[in-house]
């Protein structure tokens, strides 16, 4: 009776980009359920909060207009759009960014965290035979059963299909992620580790930040003995997303659709892009949910080990509806223990 709640919680916690321990290791991969998500709000208006709808340039520490932001897109080879997966406004703004790039005369490849690399033959087959059938694409790639809220992603993917933009999956398979969590990066062959630039060790400060982020994302319940494997899996996923961008970018570049944790500049996907394609310009955006008692943009920036901006831009939006994920997490762990007895 409690598995529908698990899928909803899974989606909420995945927003930070982390592999969710309870879901990945203990529960069914195919739990399905309904989310309670607030209707889309108009993020172009203030909605009672000084930051809602604002775009913050992290480097200059200034607000900027949407038109100025769109103008800067023209100079980026890779545009990384980091979302909270369950926030409808984030998907709406991602669509707007892509539409503006198309209006500027660009036809970038669009690379998704939500599709695994193994989904690519299915994506190509569906697009060849049913070019604009977004529902068929979602059904045949099992988006819902893999935990992605299709009704939120549908308008975005319909836009990509309608504009006939190249579309690719770049995430690792769940089986590969589990193997890396159990065995570390050595679960990949040596050549693959090198080609993904995973052979360069992380700075100790970055590892410490990643550990803190994992603990936070799992509401303080992640077992210490598993955190190293989770860090390895996260690194491999970031490197795989960067690889997808590099592999599939065309003359107009590439756009990444991913959780905001994957687009931070210090140790996530942009770091691998800079290592492997140092001549390319990378622009990272974190669509960021406002909090009532946080009124300054700097309050939303996560800890980082560098002086460079952790994101290039913060684009502030209202929060999606739903219960406190940590309260749900603790409740479901109790249910899981009881069901396992």
């Amino acid at each position: 009776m409690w598995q529908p709640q698990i899928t909803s919680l899974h989606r909420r916690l995945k927003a930070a980009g982390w592999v969710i321990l309870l879901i990945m290791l203990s529960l069914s991969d195919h739990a399905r359920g309904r989310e309670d998500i607030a209707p889309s709000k108009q993020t172009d208006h203030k909605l009672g909060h000084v930051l809602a709808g604002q775009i913050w340039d992290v480097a200059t520490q200034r607000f900027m207009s949407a038109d100025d932001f769109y103008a800067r897109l023209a100079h980026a080879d890779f545009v990384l759009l980091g979302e909270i997966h369950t926030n409808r406004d984030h998907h709406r703004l991602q669509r707007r960014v892509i539409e503006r790039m198309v209006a500027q005369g660009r036809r970038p490849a669009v690379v998704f965290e939500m599709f695994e690399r193994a989904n690519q033959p299915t994506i190509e087959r569906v697009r060849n035979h049913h070019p604009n059938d977004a529902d068929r694409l979602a059904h045949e790639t099992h988006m819902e059963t893999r935990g992605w809220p299709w009704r939120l992603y549908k308008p975005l993917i319909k836009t990509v299909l309608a504009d006939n933009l190249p579309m690719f999956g770049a995430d690792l398979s769940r089986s590969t992620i589990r193997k890396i969590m159990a065995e570390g990066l050595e679960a990949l062959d040596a050549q693959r580790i090198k080609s993904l630039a995973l052979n360069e060790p992380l700075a100790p400060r970055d590892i410490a930040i990643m550990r803190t982020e994992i603990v936070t994302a799992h509401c303080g319940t992640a077992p210490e003995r598993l955190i190293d494997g989770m860090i390895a899996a996260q690194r491999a996923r970031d490197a795989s997303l960067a690889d997808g961008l590099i592999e599939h970018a065309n003359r107009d570049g590439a756009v990444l659709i991913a959780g905001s944790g994957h687009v931070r500049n210090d140790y996530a996907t942009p770091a691998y892009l800079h290592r492997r394609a140092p001549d390319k310009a990378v622009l990272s955006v974190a669509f960021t949910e406002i909090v009532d008692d946080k009124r300054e943009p700097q309050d939303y920036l996560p800890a980082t080990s560098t002086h460079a901006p952790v994101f290039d831009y913060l684009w502030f939006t209202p929060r999606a509806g739903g219960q406190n994920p940590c309260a749900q997490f603790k409740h479901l762990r109790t249910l899981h223990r009881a069901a396992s007895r």
Side-chain angles (χ1 to χ4, degrees), residues 10-319:
H10 183 195
R11 294 168 181 164
R12 290 290 299 168
L13 294 180
K14 280 202 310 184
W18 297 105
V19 178
I20 303 305
L21 178 66
L22 184 61
I23 305 299
M24 294 296 291
L25 297 183
S26 303
L27 304 176
S28 169
D29 286 340
H30 302 292
R32 301 184 66 178
R34 179 184 177 278
E35 292 175 305
D36 293 320
I37 297 175
S40 179
K41 303 179 178 68
Q42 295 298 314
T43 54
D44 296 328
H45 298 90
K46 295 295 184 287
L47 297 174
H49 194 291
V50 68
L51 294 179
Q54 299 273 25
I55 304 172
W56 177 254
D57 183 332
V58 179
T60 64
Q61 298 189 37
R62 294 180 180 177
F63 292 111
M64 64 189 307
S65 69
D67 286 341
D68 286 342
F69 169 79
Y70 292 132
R72 296 189 188 183
L73 292 177
H75 305 290
D77 299 294
F78 299 120
V79 176
L80 283 59
L81 304 177
E83 64 183 43
I84 302 296
H85 299 313
T86 53
N87 192 307
R88 191 183 304 273
D89 283 323
H90 294 190
H91 304 302
R92 182 175 66 85
L93 292 172
Q94 289 168 332
R95 281 168 45 214
R96 184 180 298 177
V97 170
I98 291 172
E99 289 169 346
R100 184 58 67 97
M101 293 179 74
V102 171
Q104 292 171 342
R106 299 177 66 179
R107 302 188 57 77
V110 185
V111 176
F112 286 86
E113 173 196 355
M114 299 79 212
F115 295 113
E116 298 172 2
R117 289 177 172 272
N119 294 138
Q120 198 60 38
T122 302
I123 293 171
E124 298 300 330
R125 175 173 52 79
V126 172
R127 295 194 73 181
N128 285 336
H129 296 284
H130 308 277
N132 295 308
D133 194 338
D135 287 316
R136 182 182 290 268
L137 181 63
H139 175 72
E140 297 203 21
T141 57
H142 308 289
M143 282 196 73
E144 284 281 358
T145 57
R146 289 187 294 110
W148 301 105
W150 171 236
R151 71 186 182 281
L152 298 185
Y153 284 97
K154 181 176 179 177
L156 172 61
I157 291 177
K158 284 185 68 175
T159 294
V160 174
L161 295 177
D163 287 330
N164 197 28
L165 298 176
M167 183 171 69
F168 301 95
D171 201 7
L172 300 173
S173 68
R174 288 193 172 191
S175 60
T176 299
I177 292 170
R178 288 193 184 96
K179 189 174 181 181
I180 294 170
M181 289 176 67
E183 303 175 17
L185 292 176
E186 292 73 18
L188 303 174
D189 65 72
Q191 184 57 42
R192 185 62 171 159
I193 290 173
K194 182 177 180 180
S195 69
L196 291 175
L198 284 167
N199 55 329
E200 299 184 27
L202 282 180
R205 173 64 174 158
D206 285 334
I207 294 175
I209 291 172
M210 292 183 80
R211 295 180 75 86
T212 299
E213 292 288 336
I214 287 173
V215 171
T216 300
H218 292 81
C219 307
T221 64
E224 179 67 25
R225 62 186 174 81
L226 297 174
I227 291 180
D228 286 345
M230 298 173 75
I231 290 174
Q234 184 70 7
R235 291 184 64 196
R237 296 184 69 210
D238 288 332
S240 181
L241 295 177
D243 189 62
L245 289 167
I246 293 170
E247 178 183 357
H248 300 302
N250 55 37
R251 59 183 295 177
D252 293 321
V255 174
L256 176 67
I257 304 296
S260 59
H262 289 297
V263 309
R264 53 185 295 163
N265 291 321
D266 45 2
Y267 58 69
T269 302
Y272 295 97
L273 291 173
H274 289 307
R275 290 175 191 171
R276 297 183 54 195
D279 59 327
K280 300 296 185 181
V282 180
L283 184 153
S284 66
V285 184
F287 296 108
T288 302
E289 294 183 333
I290 53 175
V291 178
D292 289 342
D293 59 353
K294 290 186 177 182
R295 315 292 289 186
E296 298 297 329
Q298 297 90 337
D299 294 339
Y300 292 83
L301 292 170
T304 181
S305 64
T306 72
H307 297 294
V310 65
F311 303 107
D312 296 315
Y313 303 99
L314 300 180
W315 194 325
F316 292 99
T317 76
R319 294 179 63 85

